[in-house]
Amino acid sequence: MFRSAMTGAAAAALLAVPAPGAAADPYGTPPPDKIVIDVVTVNGSGCPAGTANVAVSPDNTAFTVSYSDYVAQVGVGSKPTDMRKNCQLSLNVHVPQGFTYAVARADYRGFAHLEKGASGLERANYYFQGMQQTAFVNHSFTGPLNDNWQASDSTDIDALVYAPCGAMRFLNINTELRVDAGTSDTTKTTSFLAMDSTDGNISTLYRFAWKECPAV
């Protein structure tokens, strides 16, 4: 089960990567071969075609998903359907033979402008194709707020769910943003919650946990 933690700003780095020669990584040793991730399907109002991109870190410890049009909003200039945006990604993680992986941590970032009386919600879950879907982890925001935001989900090492060894299972990632006008005046103001990277600096980071498969 994912545990959650949240900070009001995203000034700090998303995740520190251990330097070579450091103590043993609790998330396991990544495979030396380059990891490739193919986006199998992208669905949802928060990630129209061509607005979501995936990249793997050079050291195989993590991958990022960046969005360029993922904003939920209410108020002036908004349509009723804009209050909720979602994105469903199905990823094929090409894992070198003899290895398997889990998602140990996810760090979400964005920007929020919430008027007094308004609120926002970011939620996500992750699961492998053909396996039981995990519960959503929710992060709430309350106006007034006009700042960067960061929300993190993490799983204890002994509770990680790994992809089955020797089987191809797509990784499914579901995310959602919501904004509730509450008592704010939607005829004069706009409140929004964004998880996009139009400035090139905002992306979601997913931290791999690796382990070797038993010898057959």
Side-chain angles (χ1 to χ4, degrees):
M1 181 64 66
F2 280 96
R3 294 179 290 107
S4 63
M6 183 168 60
T7 60
L14 280 178
L15 194 63
V17 177
D25 191 335
Y27 294 128
T29 301
D33 298 332
K34 181 177 175 59
I35 304 301
V36 176
I37 298 180
D38 293 328
V39 179
V40 181
T41 58
V42 180
N43 293 299
S45 55
C47 51
T51 65
N53 294 286
V54 178
V56 183
S57 65
D59 59 4
N60 291 337
T61 60
F63 68 95
T64 59
V65 180
S66 57
Y67 305 94
S68 58
D69 191 21
Y70 202 165
V71 183
Q73 61 181 7
V74 294
V76 178
S78 303
K79 302 186 297 292
T81 54
D82 290 340
M83 66 179 295
R84 176 186 178 273
K85 294 295 179 76
N86 75 301
C87 185
Q88 301 174 340
L89 296 177
S90 183
L91 307 178
N92 185 6
V93 182
H94 296 273
V95 179
Q97 186 173 1
F99 285 86
T100 185
Y101 73 96
V103 175
R105 178 183 173 95
D107 292 297
Y108 296 93
R109 295 193 302 165
F111 188 86
H113 176 82
L114 299 174
E115 295 288 332
K116 183 179 180 180
S119 61
L121 176 74
E122 180 272 328
R123 67 197 310 247
N125 75 342
Y126 334 81
Y127 62 97
F128 291 107
Q129 177 188 16
M131 302 177 71
Q132 183 176 359
Q133 185 167 332
T134 60
F136 277 92
V137 178
N138 298 325
H139 299 279
S140 299
F141 307 86
T142 302
L145 176 63
N146 188 55
D147 201 354
N148 295 316
W149 61 267
Q150 178 173 329
S152 298
D153 306 338
S154 62
T155 303
D156 292 329
I157 296 297
D158 57 1
L160 291 173
V161 177
Y162 287 84
C165 286
M168 185 180 72
R169 298 288 180 89
F170 296 150
L171 173 63
N172 297 307
I173 300 175
N174 298 323
T175 57
E176 182 179 326
L177 297 178
R178 294 184 188 181
V179 176
D180 186 344
T183 59
S184 65
D185 186 350
T186 56
T187 65
K188 298 179 180 178
T189 64
T190 301
S191 294
F192 68 86
L193 186 64
M195 187 162 60
D196 61 33
S197 57
T198 53
D199 65 354
N201 295 320
I202 297 177
S203 60
T204 300
L205 185 144
Y206 296 91
R207 178 65 154 87
F208 284 125
W210 291 102
K211 71 177 183 179
E212 295 187 38
C213 293
V216 179

